[in-house]
Amino acid sequence: MTSNSNSTTNAPRTALVVGASGITGSALVDRLSQDGWEVLALSRRAVTSGTVRGIAADLRDPASLRAALADERPTHVFFTAWQRQATEAENIAVNGAMVRDLLAALDHAPVEHAALVTGLKHYLGPFEAYAAGEMPDTPFREESERLDTPNFYYAQEDELFAAAVRQQFRWSVHRSHTVIGHAVGNAMNMGLTIAVQATIAKHLGVPFVFPGSAAQWNGLTDMTDAGVLAEQMVWASTEPAGRNEAFNIVNGDIFRWRWMWPRLAEMLGVPAEQVVGFDGQARPLEEQMAQLEQHWPAIAAEHDLVESDISRLASWWHTDADLGREMEVVTDMGKSRAAGFLSFRRTDQAFADLFARYRADRLIP
């Protein structure tokens, strides 16, 4: 295939968003649609809406991908999907193959750029060896060497790099911190998880307890709004400074959870006397909510909410993993800023806007 690097900015652009129903994918679909792109939204179930055309395919089935994409000609690919497996070896095999097979199924298409979302486990290590060995110092910077630990993010990157050489397109990698944004049924959804926890606490009159570690309660941290992540991915895919680079992506502000937690409680209507911070030890949500989540169907019925299955709303394990870290997690945005990406988002405002949207959708009262 010949290189497409000389295409003009006025040429028609068709985006293929992979994982379009997830937090990042949904934000990308919204952003690209607003910017006038033709958008193809690939997910397990095809959802066509307005100018967005849905494509159904199984990312773990190369034949399914070939068939679904045979007649499609995207110029830009945005890969936002992953599937959690029992071990990191399986994570590597499955998630690396999904990137490889998706890009291989587009070997006929005029792809100019492929953007891949990964995350700070690039610096922290995989779930089964999370923050366990020697890691780069904070704030995390893109030039840090890879950890000497198997990691499915590295496997995904390597598949992207190989396909870029083979099919002659440009690439970018986007290393986000915890992403908050609008989605339902997502495996890593801290915003909705905290909102559900707060709703149950308020309904039952029980404490709204911070689940994490002393390090997270007292230390500095940052987060990534899905809209800012989408902005950076589109920027890197269309600007020369974004070509063939890996970028960290966070909102640009920093905070401490001891500052944020009571503000989230206030946003979610939890009385101040029910708000409990770190008190001697972590209180994981998987333990806190084990006997409380049974009340969700009654709460949903009382408030006429649209989702009575709490497993589609709350991902206790993932929020526990993020807030249970025993170290400070702060991300440097200097490389991205120097290259020209200047978008910024206040994290407390991102949470407030997200909760308002969930209320409007009748996912929380």
Side-chain angles (χ1 to χ4, degrees):
M1 176 177 289
T2 59
S3 172
N4 299 291
S5 60
N6 295 321
S7 60
T8 67
T9 56
N10 295 322
R13 290 170 171 165
T14 300
L16 175 66
V17 179
V18 182
S21 61
I23 294 175
T24 303
S26 297
L28 270 165
V29 168
D30 290 346
R31 178 76 189 186
L32 292 161
S33 299
Q34 291 168 12
D35 289 351
W37 291 56
E38 179 181 353
V39 181
L40 309 174
L42 189 148
S43 57
R44 291 180 185 176
R45 297 190 184 96
V47 178
T48 295
S49 175
T51 60
V52 178
R53 180 159 58 84
I55 298 174
D58 181 355
L59 286 171
R60 297 185 62 176
D61 182 346
S64 168
L65 289 169
R66 282 279 180 189
L69 297 172
D71 297 325
E72 307 298 345
R73 296 182 62 79
T75 57
H76 294 72
V77 178
F78 300 89
F79 197 100
T80 73
W82 80 289
Q83 293 183 19
R84 188 188 186 198
Q85 306 300 311
T87 68
E88 192 59 16
E90 293 172 85
N91 276 330
I92 290 168
V94 169
N95 292 284
M98 290 196 303
V99 173
R100 180 181 67 246
D101 295 340
L102 181 283
L103 294 173
L106 293 170
D107 57 5
H108 64 283
V111 176
E112 300 172 19
H113 190 107
L116 170 69
V117 177
T118 63
L120 296 196
K121 288 190 292 297
H122 185 96
Y123 310 110
L124 288 161
F127 287 118
E128 62 189 45
Y130 201 50
E134 185 174 348
M135 290 172 295
D137 198 7
T138 56
F140 296 134
R141 292 180 170 85
E142 295 90 339
E143 63 267 24
S144 299
E145 297 291 332
R146 288 181 175 183
L147 302 178
D148 187 21
T149 307
N151 191 318
F152 83 86
Y153 283 163
Y154 305 161
Q156 287 184 309
E157 283 188 347
D158 289 343
E159 295 293 354
L160 174 69
F161 302 156
V165 172
R166 185 172 60 248
Q167 294 166 233
Q168 303 220 352
F169 57 73
R170 303 183 299 271
W171 57 266
S172 58
V173 174
H174 304 266
R175 298 172 186 161
S176 61
H177 197 173
T178 302
V179 179
I180 54 171
H182 186 274
V184 178
N186 187 274
M188 300 192 300
N189 195 338
M190 181 186 284
L192 188 50
T193 296
I194 290 174
V196 169
Q197 177 197 4
T199 299
I200 292 173
K202 185 169 61 170
H203 179 82
L204 298 177
V206 300
F208 177 56
V209 180
F210 178 74
S213 67
Q216 289 301 302
W217 182 249
N218 293 312
L220 292 171
T221 193
D222 48 32
M223 293 185 74
T224 306
D225 178 76
V228 171
L229 173 53
E231 284 185 52
Q232 192 196 57
M233 294 181 76
V234 175
W235 165 82
S237 297
T238 55
E239 293 294 330
R243 297 174 181 174
N244 303 331
E245 296 286 353
F247 293 106
N248 292 333
I249 176 62
V250 288
N251 292 338
D253 64 343
I254 56 175
F255 63 91
R256 303 179 199 274
W257 277 105
R258 69 188 188 205
W259 178 88
M260 184 70 77
W261 195 250
R263 283 163 175 76
L264 298 187
E266 183 178 3
M267 293 175 197
L268 294 164
V270 179
E273 62 270 19
Q274 288 178 230
V275 180
V276 178
F278 179 81
D279 186 17
Q281 63 181 5
R283 296 274 302 280
L285 288 173
E286 283 196 307
E287 297 174 10
Q288 284 193 50
M289 308 308 294
Q291 301 303 316
L292 301 180
E293 61 183 9
Q294 62 182 313
H295 296 281
W296 185 258
I299 295 171
E302 178 179 332
H303 295 280
D304 193 28
L305 304 181
V306 298
E307 183 57 75
S308 61
D309 181 358
I310 197 170
S311 69
R312 285 184 47 76
L313 303 176
S315 49
W316 312 127
W317 69 270
H318 181 259
T319 297
D320 285 341
D322 270 4
L323 298 184
R325 298 166 178 152
E326 296 291 348
M327 62 170 292
E328 176 183 86
V329 179
V330 182
T331 315
D332 182 77
M333 282 288 289
K335 179 180 178 180
S336 187
R337 301 284 187 245
F341 180 77
L342 304 177
S343 291
F344 174 89
R345 190 88 160 96
R346 280 194 57 150
T347 301
D348 54 340
Q349 188 61 53
F351 270 117
D353 293 346
L354 180 61
F355 296 153
R357 187 172 177 186
Y358 282 140
R359 286 194 187 97
D361 290 346
R362 295 184 14 244
L363 288 166
I364 60 173

